[in-house]
Amino acid sequence: MTSQKYFEEAWKNRKLVGGALKAAHVRPDYHLYEDLLQEGVILYAKMLRKLDGQKVRSEIDKLSFKRVLWQTIDALRREQHVCERNTAIDKAYDLGKTEAWDNLVALKNEVKKLSQLEQVILFEHLLEKKTITQLVKECGIPRITLKRLKKQLLGKLRNVMEQ
């Protein structure tokens, strides 16, 4: 536990933590700025307690600055990851919208009209992520032909989605 003495020293020199936040490109108007500042001050106080008597104060400040900077960058990465995940979840809810269902119905009807080879490209390559090279080996059709059919298929599907 960090004693009050070290915490008060860290609080008096909180400009060091503010500088680390600034180096991490965190502006004071960022919604998590105060939380990051408080976490930084606590980390700084821990560093003061841990290294007291072992190193010169200027050396402790340099190490603390770096540690706060890396902790802040790590926290920002975690926050970005959470936001990206939430965005993906929000986009998944869009499937319930009428336009999305209309597109799915239109695509389902279009798939019935596709040739056998176009269906292989759609399901095997585009959906199951098989490579063109794998399809060439399996189907025995030249690579150029498969690429041309893929381009035509994507054009057809694009037209269906735009209607």
Side-chain angles (χ1 to χ4, degrees):
M1 184 170 169
T2 306
S3 72
Q4 186 173 352
K5 170 188 154 189
Y6 295 113
F7 184 76
E8 286 174 0
E9 281 185 51
W11 186 253
K12 286 178 187 173
N13 195 14
R14 66 183 174 271
K15 284 188 176 187
L16 180 135
V17 176
L21 294 177
K22 187 175 182 177
H25 304 290
V26 179
R27 296 181 7 195
D29 60 344
Y30 180 60
H31 72 282
L32 294 177
Y33 183 83
E34 293 297 322
D35 294 337
L36 294 172
L37 181 70
Q38 289 176 3
E39 289 174 11
V41 168
I42 292 169
L43 181 62
Y44 183 30
K46 287 180 182 177
M47 293 288 289
L48 287 171
R49 181 183 56 102
K50 180 180 175 183
L51 299 175
D52 191 26
Q54 296 177 11
K55 297 192 183 266
V56 184
R57 177 66 186 259
S58 62
E59 186 68 25
I60 294 172
D61 287 350
K62 287 178 186 177
L63 292 171
S64 298
F65 181 89
K66 289 179 184 177
R67 187 111 186 243
V68 170
L69 174 64
W70 285 107
Q71 177 183 325
T72 302
I73 291 172
D74 188 47
L76 292 172
R77 283 188 187 132
R78 283 193 310 267
E79 177 67 19
Q80 181 181 13
H81 179 71
V82 167
C83 288
E84 287 172 355
R85 211 167 93 218
N86 289 343
T87 301
I89 291 170
D90 290 343
K91 286 182 180 178
Y93 286 124
D94 290 345
L95 288 177
K97 293 185 177 179
T98 307
E99 309 89 49
W101 284 108
D102 291 343
N103 287 339
L104 288 174
V105 170
L107 284 175
K108 184 178 178 183
N109 291 334
E110 187 64 27
V111 168
K112 294 175 185 175
K113 299 175 189 174
L114 298 177
S115 70
Q116 183 66 32
L117 199 50
E118 287 174 328
Q119 288 182 7
V120 167
I121 293 171
L122 175 65
F123 293 115
E124 302 275 330
H125 177 62
L126 297 175
L127 298 177
E128 291 183 20
K129 304 291 185 196
K130 281 189 179 179
T131 63
I132 293 286
T133 306
Q134 289 173 319
L135 290 179
V136 166
K137 290 177 184 174
E138 290 176 9
C139 299
I141 297 173
R143 173 183 297 279
I144 295 173
T145 305
L146 285 177
K147 285 186 169 188
R148 181 179 45 80
L149 287 173
K150 176 184 171 183
K151 185 176 179 180
Q152 291 172 355
L153 172 65
L154 290 174
K156 283 182 188 178
L157 296 177
R158 193 174 299 117
N159 288 337
V160 168
M161 298 295 285
E162 290 174 354
Q163 290 178 357

